[in-house]
Coordinates of all heavy atoms in Angstrom, one line a residue:
P48 N 122.7 43.0 139.4 CA 121.6 43.8 140.1 C 120.4 44.0 139.2 O 119.3 44.0 139.8 CB 122.3 45.2 140.2 CG 123.8 44.9 140.3 CD 124.0 43.7 139.4
G49 N 120.5 44.1 137.9 CA 119.4 44.2 137.1 C 118.5 42.9 137.1 O 117.2 43.0 137.2
M50 N 119.1 41.8 137.2 CA 118.3 40.5 137.3 C 117.6 40.5 138.6 O 116.4 40.1 138.7 CB 119.2 39.3 137.1 CG 119.8 39.1 135.7 SD 120.8 37.7 135.6 CE 121.6 37.9 134.0
K51 N 118.3 40.8 139.7 CA 117.7 40.8 141.0 C 116.5 41.8 141.0 O 115.5 41.5 141.6 CB 118.7 41.1 142.1 CG 119.6 40.0 142.4 CD 120.5 40.3 143.6 CE 121.4 39.1 144.0 NZ 122.2 39.4 145.1
A52 N 116.7 43.0 140.4 CA 115.6 43.9 140.4 C 114.3 43.4 139.7 O 113.2 43.7 140.2 CB 116.1 45.2 139.8
Q53 N 114.5 42.7 138.7 CA 113.3 42.2 137.9 C 112.9 40.8 138.4 O 111.9 40.3 138.0 CB 113.6 42.2 136.4 CG 114.6 41.2 135.9 CD 114.9 41.4 134.5 OE1 114.5 42.4 133.8 NE2 115.6 40.4 133.9
G54 N 113.7 40.2 139.3 CA 113.3 38.9 139.9 C 113.4 37.8 138.9 O 112.8 36.7 139.1
F55 N 114.3 37.9 137.9 CA 114.4 36.9 136.9 C 115.7 37.0 136.2 O 116.1 38.2 135.9 CB 113.2 36.9 135.9 CG 113.3 35.9 134.8 CD1 112.9 34.6 135.0 CD2 113.9 36.2 133.6 CE1 113.0 33.7 134.0 CE2 114.0 35.2 132.6 CZ 113.5 34.0 132.8
G56 N 116.3 35.9 135.8 CA 117.5 36.0 135.0 C 118.1 34.6 134.8 O 117.9 33.7 135.5
R57 N 118.9 34.5 133.8 CA 119.6 33.3 133.4 C 121.1 33.6 133.2 O 121.4 34.4 132.3 CB 119.0 32.7 132.2 CG 117.5 32.3 132.3 CD 117.4 31.1 133.3 NE 116.0 30.8 133.4 CZ 115.2 31.1 134.5 NH1 115.8 31.8 135.5 NH2 114.0 30.7 134.6
I58 N 121.9 33.0 133.9 CA 123.4 33.1 133.7 C 123.9 31.8 133.2 O 123.6 30.7 133.9 CB 124.1 33.5 135.1 CG1 123.5 34.8 135.6 CG2 125.6 33.6 134.9 CD1 123.9 35.1 137.0
V59 N 124.6 31.8 132.1 CA 125.2 30.6 131.5 C 126.7 30.8 131.3 O 127.1 31.7 130.6 CB 124.5 30.2 130.2 CG1 125.1 28.9 129.6 CG2 123.0 30.0 130.4
N60 N 127.5 30.0 132.0 CA 128.9 30.1 131.9 C 129.4 28.9 131.0 O 128.8 27.8 131.1 CB 129.6 30.0 133.3 CG 129.3 31.2 134.1 OD1 129.2 32.3 133.6 ND2 129.1 31.0 135.4
L61 N 130.4 29.2 130.2 CA 131.0 28.1 129.4 C 132.3 27.6 130.0 O 133.3 28.4 130.0 CB 131.2 28.7 127.9 CG 131.7 27.7 126.9 CD1 130.8 26.5 126.8 CD2 131.9 28.3 125.6
S62 N 132.3 26.4 130.5 CA 133.5 25.8 131.0 C 133.9 24.7 130.1 O 133.9 24.9 128.9 CB 133.1 25.2 132.4 OG 134.3 24.7 133.0
S63 N 134.2 23.6 130.6 CA 134.7 22.4 129.8 C 134.7 21.2 130.6 O 134.7 21.2 131.8 CB 136.2 22.7 129.4 OG 136.8 21.6 128.8
I64 N 134.7 20.0 129.9 CA 134.8 18.8 130.6 C 136.0 18.7 131.5 O 136.1 18.1 132.5 CB 134.7 17.6 129.6 CG1 134.6 16.2 130.3 CG2 135.9 17.6 128.7 CD1 133.3 16.1 131.2
Y65 N 137.1 19.5 131.0 CA 138.3 19.5 131.8 C 138.2 20.2 133.1 O 139.1 20.2 133.9 CB 139.5 20.0 130.9 CG 139.7 19.1 129.7 CD1 139.4 19.5 128.5 CD2 140.2 17.8 129.9 CE1 139.6 18.7 127.4 CE2 140.4 17.0 128.8 CZ 140.1 17.4 127.6 OH 140.3 16.6 126.5
G66 N 137.1 20.9 133.3 CA 136.8 21.5 134.7 C 136.4 20.4 135.7 O 136.5 20.7 136.9
A67 N 136.0 19.3 135.2 CA 135.6 18.2 136.1 C 136.6 17.1 136.1 O 136.6 16.2 137.0 CB 134.2 17.6 135.6
R68 N 137.5 17.0 135.1 CA 138.5 16.0 135.0 C 139.8 16.7 134.7 O 139.9 17.7 134.0 CB 138.2 15.0 133.8 CG 136.9 14.3 134.0 CD 136.6 13.5 132.8 NE 135.3 12.8 132.9 CZ 135.2 11.5 133.3 NH1 136.3 10.8 133.6 NH2 134.0 11.0 133.4
G69 N 140.9 16.1 135.1 CA 142.2 16.6 134.8 C 142.7 16.2 133.4 O 142.0 15.5 132.7
A70 N 143.7 16.8 132.9 CA 144.3 16.5 131.6 C 145.8 16.8 131.7 O 146.3 17.8 132.2 CB 143.7 17.4 130.5
E71 N 146.6 15.9 131.2 CA 148.0 16.0 131.2 C 148.5 17.2 130.4 O 148.0 17.5 129.3 CB 148.6 14.7 130.6 CG 150.1 14.6 130.7 CD 150.7 13.3 130.1 OE1 149.9 12.5 129.5 OE2 151.9 13.1 130.2
N72 N 149.5 17.9 130.9 CA 150.1 19.1 130.3 C 149.1 20.2 130.0 O 149.3 21.0 129.1 CB 150.8 18.7 129.0 CG 151.9 17.7 129.2 OD1 152.7 17.8 130.2 ND2 152.0 16.7 128.4
R73 N 148.0 20.3 130.8 CA 147.0 21.3 130.6 C 146.7 22.0 131.9 O 145.5 22.4 132.1 CB 145.8 20.7 130.0 CG 145.9 20.0 128.6 CD 146.3 20.9 127.5 NE 145.6 22.1 127.3 CZ 144.5 22.2 126.5 NH1 144.0 21.2 125.9 NH2 143.9 23.4 126.4
V74 N 147.6 22.1 132.9 CA 147.3 22.6 134.2 C 146.6 24.0 134.1 O 145.7 24.3 134.9 CB 148.5 22.6 135.1 CG1 149.5 23.6 134.7 CG2 148.1 22.8 136.6
D75 N 147.1 24.9 133.2 CA 146.5 26.2 133.1 C 145.1 26.2 132.7 O 144.2 26.8 133.3 CB 147.3 27.1 132.2 CG 147.5 26.5 130.8 OD1 147.3 25.2 130.7 OD2 147.9 27.2 129.9
Y76 N 144.8 25.4 131.7 CA 143.4 25.3 131.1 C 142.5 24.6 132.2 O 141.4 25.1 132.4 CB 143.4 24.5 129.8 CG 142.1 24.4 129.1 CD1 141.7 25.5 128.3 CD2 141.3 23.3 129.2 CE1 140.5 25.5 127.6 CE2 140.1 23.3 128.5 CZ 139.7 24.4 127.7 OH 138.5 24.3 127.1
V77 N 142.9 23.5 132.8 CA 142.1 22.8 133.7 C 141.8 23.7 134.9 O 140.7 23.7 135.4 CB 142.9 21.5 134.2 CG1 142.2 20.9 135.4 CG2 142.9 20.5 133.1
T78 N 142.8 24.5 135.4 CA 142.6 25.4 136.5 C 141.5 26.4 136.2 O 140.6 26.7 137.1 CB 143.9 26.1 136.9 OG1 144.9 25.1 137.2 CG2 143.7 27.0 138.1
T79 N 141.6 27.1 135.1 CA 140.6 28.1 134.8 C 139.2 27.5 134.6 O 138.2 28.1 135.0 CB 141.0 28.9 133.5 OG1 141.1 28.0 132.4 CG2 142.3 29.7 133.7
K80 N 139.1 26.4 134.0 CA 137.8 25.8 133.7 C 137.2 25.2 135.1 O 136.0 25.3 135.3 CB 137.8 24.6 132.7 CG 138.2 25.1 131.3 CD 137.4 26.3 130.9 CE 137.8 26.8 129.5 NZ 136.9 27.9 129.0
T81 N 138.0 24.7 136.0 CA 137.6 24.3 137.3 C 137.1 25.5 138.1 O 136.1 25.5 138.8 CB 138.7 23.6 138.0 OG1 139.1 22.5 137.3 CG2 138.3 23.1 139.4
A82 N 137.8 26.6 138.0 CA 137.4 27.9 138.6 C 136.0 28.3 138.2 O 135.2 28.8 139.0 CB 138.4 29.0 138.4
L83 N 135.8 28.2 136.9 CA 134.5 28.6 136.3 C 133.3 27.8 136.9 O 132.2 28.3 137.2 CB 134.4 28.5 134.8 CG 135.0 29.7 134.1 CD1 135.2 29.4 132.6 CD2 134.2 30.9 134.2
I84 N 133.6 26.5 137.1 CA 132.6 25.6 137.7 C 132.3 26.0 139.1 O 131.2 26.1 139.6 CB 133.0 24.2 137.6 CG1 132.9 23.7 136.1 CG2 132.0 23.3 138.4 CD1 133.4 22.4 135.8
G85 N 133.4 26.3 139.9 CA 133.2 26.8 141.3 C 132.5 28.1 141.3 O 131.6 28.3 142.2
L86 N 132.8 29.1 140.5 CA 132.1 30.3 140.4 C 130.6 30.1 140.1 O 129.7 30.7 140.8 CB 132.7 31.2 139.3 CG 131.9 32.5 139.0 CD1 132.0 33.5 140.2 CD2 132.5 33.2 137.7
T87 N 130.3 29.2 139.2 CA 128.9 28.9 138.8 C 128.2 28.4 140.0 O 127.0 28.8 140.3 CB 128.9 27.9 137.7 OG1 129.6 28.5 136.5 CG2 127.5 27.6 137.3
R88 N 128.8 27.4 140.7 CA 128.1 26.9 141.9 C 127.9 27.9 143.0 O 126.8 28.0 143.6 CB 129.0 25.8 142.5 CG 129.1 24.5 141.7 CD 130.0 23.5 142.3 NE 130.0 22.3 141.6 CZ 131.0 21.5 141.5 NH1 132.1 21.7 142.2 NH2 130.9 20.4 140.8
A89 N 128.9 28.8 143.2 CA 128.7 29.9 144.2 C 127.6 30.8 143.9 O 126.8 31.2 144.7 CB 130.0 30.6 144.4
V90 N 127.6 31.3 142.6 CA 126.5 32.2 142.2 C 125.2 31.6 142.2 O 124.2 32.2 142.6 CB 126.9 32.8 140.7 CG1 125.7 33.5 140.2 CG2 128.1 33.6 140.8
A91 N 125.1 30.3 141.8 CA 123.8 29.6 141.9 C 123.3 29.5 143.3 O 122.1 29.7 143.6 CB 124.0 28.1 141.4
I92 N 124.1 29.3 144.3 CA 123.7 29.3 145.7 C 123.3 30.7 146.2 O 122.3 30.9 146.8 CB 124.9 28.7 146.6 CG1 125.0 27.2 146.3 CG2 124.6 29.0 148.1 CD1 126.3 26.6 146.9
E93 N 124.1 31.7 145.8 CA 123.8 33.1 146.2 C 122.5 33.6 145.6 O 121.8 34.4 146.2 CB 124.9 34.0 145.8 CG 126.2 33.8 146.6 CD 127.2 34.9 146.3 OE1 126.9 35.9 145.6 OE2 128.4 34.6 146.7
T94 N 122.1 33.1 144.4 CA 120.9 33.6 143.8 C 119.7 32.6 143.9 O 118.6 32.9 143.4 CB 121.1 33.8 142.3 OG1 121.6 32.6 141.6 CG2 122.2 34.9 142.1
A95 N 119.9 31.6 144.7 CA 118.8 30.6 144.9 C 117.6 31.3 145.5 O 117.7 32.1 146.4 CB 119.2 29.5 145.8
G96 N 116.4 31.0 144.9 CA 115.2 31.6 145.5 C 114.9 33.0 144.9 O 113.9 33.7 145.3
T97 N 115.7 33.5 144.0 CA 115.5 34.9 143.5 C 114.9 34.9 142.1 O 114.7 36.0 141.6 CB 116.9 35.7 143.5 OG1 117.7 35.1 142.5 CG2 117.6 35.7 144.8
G98 N 114.8 33.7 141.5 CA 114.3 33.7 140.1 C 115.4 33.7 139.1 O 115.2 33.7 137.9
I99 N 116.7 33.7 139.6 CA 117.8 33.7 138.8 C 118.5 32.3 138.9 O 118.7 31.8 139.9 CB 118.9 34.8 139.2 CG1 118.2 36.2 139.2 CG2 120.1 34.7 138.4 CD1 119.1 37.2 139.9
T100 N 118.8 31.8 137.7 CA 119.5 30.5 137.7 C 120.9 30.8 137.1 O 121.2 31.7 136.3 CB 118.8 29.5 136.8 OG1 118.8 29.9 135.5 CG2 117.4 29.2 137.3
C101 N 121.9 29.9 137.5 CA 123.2 30.0 137.0 C 123.7 28.6 136.7 O 123.7 27.7 137.6 CB 124.1 30.7 138.1 SG 125.8 30.9 137.5
N102 N 124.1 28.3 135.5 CA 124.5 27.0 135.1 C 125.8 27.1 134.3 O 126.1 28.2 133.7 CB 123.4 26.3 134.2 CG 122.2 26.0 135.1 OD1 122.2 25.1 135.8 ND2 121.2 26.9 134.9
A103 N 126.5 26.0 134.2 CA 127.7 26.0 133.3 C 127.6 24.9 132.3 O 127.1 23.8 132.6 CB 129.0 25.7 134.2
L104 N 127.9 25.2 131.1 CA 128.0 24.2 130.0 C 129.4 23.7 130.0 O 130.4 24.4 130.1 CB 127.6 24.8 128.7 CG 126.2 25.4 128.5 CD1 126.0 26.0 127.2 CD2 125.2 24.3 128.8
C105 N 129.5 22.3 129.9 CA 130.9 21.7 129.9 C 131.1 20.8 128.7 O 131.0 19.6 128.9 CB 131.1 21.0 131.2 SG 131.0 22.0 132.7
P106 N 131.3 21.3 127.5 CA 131.4 20.5 126.4 C 132.8 19.8 126.4 O 133.7 20.2 127.1 CB 131.4 21.5 125.2 CG 131.8 22.8 125.8 CD 131.4 22.8 127.2
G107 N 132.9 18.7 125.6 CA 134.1 18.0 125.4 C 135.0 18.8 124.4 O 134.7 19.9 124.1
T108 N 136.0 18.1 123.9 CA 136.9 18.7 122.9 C 136.1 19.0 121.6 O 135.4 18.2 121.1 CB 138.1 17.8 122.7 OG1 138.7 17.6 123.9 CG2 139.0 18.4 121.7
V109 N 136.4 20.2 121.1 CA 135.8 20.6 119.8 C 137.0 21.0 118.9 O 138.0 21.4 119.4 CB 134.8 21.7 119.9 CG1 133.6 21.3 120.7 CG2 135.4 23.0 120.6
P110 N 136.8 20.9 117.6 CA 137.9 21.2 116.7 C 138.2 22.7 116.6 O 138.1 23.2 115.5 CB 137.5 20.5 115.4 CG 136.0 20.6 115.4 CD 135.6 20.4 116.9
S111 N 138.7 23.2 117.6 CA 139.1 24.7 117.6 C 140.5 24.8 117.0 O 141.3 23.8 117.0 CB 139.1 25.2 119.0 OG 140.1 24.6 119.8
P112 N 141.0 25.9 116.6 CA 142.3 26.1 116.1 C 143.4 25.6 117.1 O 144.4 25.0 116.7 CB 142.5 27.6 115.9 CG 141.1 28.0 115.5 CD 140.2 27.2 116.4
A113 N 143.2 25.9 118.4 CA 144.1 25.4 119.4 C 144.2 23.9 119.5 O 145.3 23.3 119.6 CB 143.8 26.0 120.8
I114 N 143.1 23.2 119.5 CA 143.1 21.8 119.5 C 143.7 21.2 118.3 O 144.4 20.2 118.3 CB 141.6 21.2 119.8 CG1 141.1 21.6 121.1 CG2 141.5 19.7 119.5 CD1 141.9 21.1 122.3
L115 N 143.3 21.7 117.1 CA 143.8 21.2 115.8 C 145.3 21.3 115.8 O 146.0 20.4 115.3 CB 143.1 21.9 114.7 CG 141.6 21.6 114.5 CD1 141.0 22.5 113.4 CD2 141.4 20.1 114.3
S116 N 145.9 22.4 116.3 CA 147.3 22.6 116.3 C 148.0 21.6 117.2 O 149.1 21.1 116.9 CB 147.7 24.0 116.6 OG 147.4 24.3 117.9
R117 N 147.3 21.3 118.4 CA 147.9 20.3 119.3 C 147.9 18.9 118.6 O 148.8 18.1 118.7 CB 147.1 20.2 120.6 CG 147.3 21.5 121.4 CD 146.4 21.5 122.7 NE 146.8 20.4 123.6 CZ 147.8 20.6 124.5 NH1 148.4 21.7 124.6 NH2 148.0 19.6 125.4
I118 N 146.8 18.6 117.9 CA 146.7 17.3 117.2 C 147.8 17.2 116.1 O 148.5 16.2 116.0 CB 145.3 17.1 116.6 CG1 144.3 16.9 117.7 CG2 145.3 15.9 115.6 CD1 142.9 16.9 117.3
E119 N 148.0 18.3 115.4 CA 149.0 18.3 114.4 C 150.4 18.1 115.0 O 151.2 17.3 114.4 CB 149.0 19.7 113.7 CG 150.0 19.8 112.5 CD 149.9 21.2 111.9 OE1 148.8 21.8 111.9 OE2 150.9 21.7 111.4
A120 N 150.7 18.8 116.1 CA 152.0 18.6 116.7 C 152.2 17.2 117.2 O 153.3 16.6 117.1 CB 152.1 19.6 117.9
I121 N 151.2 16.6 117.8 CA 151.3 15.2 118.3 C 151.6 14.3 117.2 O 152.4 13.4 117.2 CB 150.1 14.8 119.2 CG1 150.1 15.6 120.5 CG2 150.1 13.3 119.4 CD1 148.7 15.5 121.2
A122 N 150.8 14.4 116.1 CA 151.0 13.6 114.9 C 152.4 13.7 114.3 O 153.0 12.7 114.0 CB 149.9 13.9 113.9
A123 N 152.9 14.9 114.2 CA 154.2 15.1 113.7 C 155.3 14.5 114.6 O 156.2 13.9 114.2 CB 154.5 16.6 113.6
E124 N 155.1 14.6 115.9 CA 156.0 14.1 116.9 C 156.0 12.6 116.8 O 157.1 11.9 117.0 CB 155.6 14.5 118.3 CG 156.4 14.0 119.4 CD 155.9 14.4 120.8 OE1 155.9 15.7 121.0 OE2 155.5 13.6 121.6
Q125 N 154.9 12.0 116.6 CA 154.8 10.5 116.5 C 155.0 9.9 115.1 O 155.0 8.7 114.9 CB 153.4 10.0 117.1 CG 153.3 10.3 118.5 CD 151.9 9.9 119.1 OE1 151.1 9.4 118.4 NE2 151.7 10.1 120.4
G126 N 155.2 10.8 114.1 CA 155.4 10.4 112.8 C 154.2 9.7 112.1 O 154.4 8.8 111.3
V127 N 153.0 10.2 112.5 CA 151.8 9.6 111.9 C 151.0 10.7 111.2 O 151.2 11.9 111.5 CB 150.9 8.9 113.0 CG1 151.7 7.7 113.6 CG2 150.5 9.9 114.0
E128 N 150.1 10.3 110.3 CA 149.2 11.3 109.7 C 148.0 11.6 110.6 O 147.6 10.8 111.3 CB 148.7 10.7 108.4 CG 149.8 10.5 107.3 CD 149.2 10.1 106.0 OE1 148.1 10.5 105.7 OE2 150.0 9.5 105.2
E129 N 147.5 12.8 110.4 CA 146.4 13.2 111.2 C 145.1 12.6 110.5 O 145.0 12.6 109.3 CB 146.2 14.8 111.1 CG 147.3 15.5 111.7 CD 147.1 17.0 111.5 OE1 146.1 17.6 111.8 OE2 148.1 17.6 110.9
A130 N 144.2 12.1 111.3 CA 143.0 11.6 110.8 C 142.0 12.8 110.7 O 141.9 13.6 111.5 CB 142.4 10.5 111.7
Q131 N 141.3 12.9 109.5 CA 140.4 14.0 109.3 C 139.0 13.5 109.6 O 138.5 12.5 109.3 CB 140.5 14.5 107.9 CG 141.8 15.1 107.7 CD 142.0 16.5 108.4 OE1 141.1 17.1 108.8 NE2 143.3 16.8 108.7

């Protein structure tokens, strides 16, 4: 409402490349990131012509603790060393 009142605003949602592509064994993550992209599209349409924009950033994999632990588990399972 504040953005509409001033006739200007920027909404930026953080999704993931997995919102546009699937990934094995990640149905929960893919579902939430896909939902964020859908929300972004809907809000962008609803605010079109009001001076408010809505976009989603969709980065690829980054070395977060969750990703690093997945890499570690895969390397251990396959009996290989992790590449740094």
Side-chain angles (χ1 to χ4, degrees):
M50 290 181 193
K51 284 187 176 181
Q53 65 187 14
F55 179 84
R57 299 291 178 255
I58 301 168
V59 180
N60 294 321
L61 183 58
S62 184
S63 167
I64 188 63
Y65 297 111
R68 299 176 182 262
E71 185 178 7
N72 299 319
R73 302 295 309 270
V74 69
D75 54 344
Y76 188 79
V77 169
T78 300
T79 58
K80 297 308 179 178
T81 301
L83 278 171
I84 293 173
L86 172 69
T87 301
R88 288 178 178 151
V90 171
I92 290 168
E93 287 185 16
T94 59
T97 67
I99 301 169
T100 62
C101 185
N102 294 282
L104 298 176
C105 298
T108 301
V109 296
S111 67
I114 293 298
L115 293 175
S116 67
R117 290 177 69 83
I118 292 171
E119 182 181 332
I121 292 168
E124 180 182 296
Q125 295 179 359
V127 297
E128 291 187 30
E129 295 173 57
Q131 296 290 334

